[in-house]
Amino acid sequence: QVQLVESGGGSVQAGGSLRLSCAASGYTSSSNCMGWFRQAPGKEREGVASIDSYSRTTYADSVKGRFTISKDNAENTLFLQMDSLKPEDTAMYYCAAKFRSCRFYRMPGRSYYDYWGQGTQVTVSS
């Protein structure tokens, strides 16, 4: 059974940085497609960033130039480096995965992924 476990969330001031991690266990594959989503109170879950089997990345316009998604296939871990954080980045952050080969030309939606983590809270104060 695949498990995704996020970590690295916390509370920071605007302009600060956080690095989120998502560790995958159970059945995994180096051919994987992974992404980060976030959900603020009262809002729908939205895509933040994605990375495909060829390490091609896509980002939401709201985080371009500030967030960087990466992965370490040897360690089955996904990362999200978040810099220049803003109060509007406050949300629960979730990682998602599909273990098959894929090539992204645009960010996949929620329904694309098969597995989800439980989330890690990020709070940015002004």
Side-chain angles (χ1 to χ4, degrees), residues 20-42:
L20 305 184
S21 298
C22 172
S25 62
Y27 172 77
T28 60
S29 171
S30 59
S31 292
N32 55 62
C33 327
M34 305 190 77
W36 288 98
F37 288 74
R38 67 186 181 187
Q39 188 167 17

Side-chain angles (χ1 to χ4, degrees), residues 75-118:
E75 296 295 329
N76 294 321
T77 304
L78 177 72
F79 302 100
L80 185 68
Q81 178 66 41
M82 305 187 295
D83 299 318
S84 302
L85 282 161
K86 303 176 180 179
E88 50 264 44
D89 295 318
T90 295
M92 184 73 78
Y93 283 71
Y94 300 89
C95 68
K98 178 186 278 289
F99 293 103
R100 56 163 287 177
S101 180
C102 58
R103 186 188 295 269
F104 295 156
Y105 295 96
R106 61 183 179 182
M107 190 180 306
R110 290 174 296 175
S111 62
Y112 177 82
Y113 294 99
D114 298 323
Y115 302 100
W116 290 84
Q118 294 300 306

Side-chain angles (χ1 to χ4, degrees), residues 34-36 47-52 55-61 63-64 67 69 80 104-108 113:
M34 305 190 77
W36 288 98
V48 175
S50 63
I51 184 166
D52 68 15
S55 294
R56 292 157 52 105
T57 58
T58 58
Y59 296 92
D61 288 343
V63 306
K64 279 181 182 176
F67 290 11
I69 188 172
L80 185 68
F104 295 156
Y105 295 96
R106 61 183 179 182
M107 190 180 306
Y113 294 99

